Amino acid sequence: MELCVALDLPTKEENLVLIEKIKAHDVWLKVGLRTYIRDGEEFLKAIKEINPDFKIFLDLKLYDIPNTMADAAESIMGLGVDMFNVHASAGKRAMETVMQRLEKFESRPIVLAVTALTSFAEDEFQAVYESSIQQKANQFAKDAQDAGLDGVVCSAFESRSIKNITDVNFMTLTPGIRPFGEDAGDQKRVADVAFAKNESVDFIVVGRPIYQSQNPAEVVSKILAQF
Ligand code: C5P
């Protein structure tokens, strides 16, 4: 299992201070919408300057018509990130179009599909997708695999059933992790590290429990010790 730290602090400077504090650890860094919109490619370079071994997950959750998603994915190739994601609900054809566009590159980042956002409660999800989270997450995972993606973003509660219906190296990445039972915030479906490990999750994403802590490096160490 790998730990991915969400860089969701309000300013670039605060994110850089956080990265400095955890730079000795073997972790992935997740750059989300706010940070990327505000700080852009320069910020990605700044991360690699602090430690070139940091792996970067660009969490932009692409969702558009197939050609526009593929255009965006091709632009992402120029950023040198190690992982990015798209929404599975954009459809199988959109995911296939993205993967076909990346075929011309010698190597490419890991590409994941978002199934159900971990902030969804079951009834809220039902109102949008007219399906249970579990059922839809399984279907999205199959679509993503058929389209040639490497894995999905899901909650730790869906990881096991997705692993059961996909190939052995199909990956799951799970946000909504509260490593030691911390406050859930707006997340509706949260799990701890031990649960994620037991469900064969490949990547856990942890944001607030790390960056809101007095000692982020210590929280990172404690999480890694559980792996
Ligand atoms: O602070 P917290 O640990 O809840 O942060 C979770 C991170 O994972 C946030 O950056 C959020 O945008 C992201 N995320 C999520 N649920 C998804 C996909 C991404 O919470 N399904």
Side-chain angles (χ1 to χ4, degrees):
M1 195 155 74
E2 305 258 3
L3 170 62
C4 197
V5 180
L7 301 173
D8 290 336
L9 282 158
T11 65
K12 180 179 178 182
E13 291 67 35
E14 285 166 280
N15 278 327
L16 289 172
V17 168
L18 172 67
I19 298 166
E20 278 288 347
K21 285 182 184 160
I22 60 174
K23 70 178 176 191
H25 294 283
D26 182 14
V27 294
W28 284 65
L29 299 178
K30 184 176 89 67
V31 176
L33 278 173
R34 168 160 80 169
T35 301
Y36 191 70
I37 288 168
R38 187 190 53 215
D39 305 325
E41 192 177 355
E42 287 307 308
F43 181 68
L44 305 179
K45 287 188 187 142
I47 292 175
K48 295 279 185 183
E49 273 164 26
I50 293 173
N51 181 351
D53 292 333
F54 273 134
K55 295 252 173 75
I56 301 176
F57 167 28
L58 189 62
D59 180 23
L60 300 183
K61 303 186 183 74
L62 307 183
Y63 188 151
D64 212 308
I65 59 172
N67 188 61
T68 302
M69 283 174 67
D71 287 344
E74 191 167 347
S75 294
I76 288 174
M77 289 300 298
L79 299 175
V81 299
D82 304 280
M83 178 154 71
F84 73 91
N85 57 359
V86 303
H87 266 286
S89 51
K92 199 162 152 185
R93 188 159 60 85
M95 292 191 279
E96 282 166 355
T97 309
V98 166
M99 299 315 285
Q100 280 159 8
R101 185 71 72 83
L102 301 184
E103 275 169 11
K104 63 185 172 198
F105 296 95
E106 221 165 83
S107 66
R108 61 160 177 82
I110 295 170
V111 186
L112 303 179
V114 178
T115 56
L117 296 173
T118 44
S119 53
F120 267 124
E122 194 68 48
D123 59 331
E124 293 168 337
F125 189 84
Q126 185 79 36
V128 180
Y129 293 96
E130 296 182 342
S131 161
S132 71
I133 292 174
Q134 187 76 67
Q135 208 177 1
K136 205 62 171 178
N138 284 348
Q139 186 211 316
F140 281 153
K142 271 187 165 287
D143 290 348
Q145 177 171 274
D146 290 348
L149 277 76
D150 305 299
V152 289
V153 182
C154 59
S155 90
F157 302 98
E158 286 103 50
S159 178
R160 174 65 60 86
S161 74
I162 287 172
K163 292 261 171 183
N164 285 343
I165 57 162
T166 52
D167 293 342
V168 62
N169 39 20
F170 194 74
M171 295 184 269
T172 57
L173 174 143
T174 67
I177 299 293
R178 292 297 173 262
F180 308 103
E182 297 90 338
D183 179 31
D186 61 342
Q187 300 283 19
K188 292 282 167 39
R189 292 169 296 136
V190 300
D192 62 16
V193 179
F195 183 85
K197 192 177 163 194
N198 201 38
E199 300 302 300
S200 311
V201 167
D202 298 281
F203 293 88
I204 56 167
V205 174
V206 183
R208 285 162 282 188
I210 292 175
Y211 68 73
Q212 289 180 346
S213 147
Q214 293 297 323
N215 191 340
E218 187 181 82
V219 180
V220 168
S221 300
K222 276 167 72 182
I223 294 171
L224 293 177
Q226 287 212 359
F227 288 4

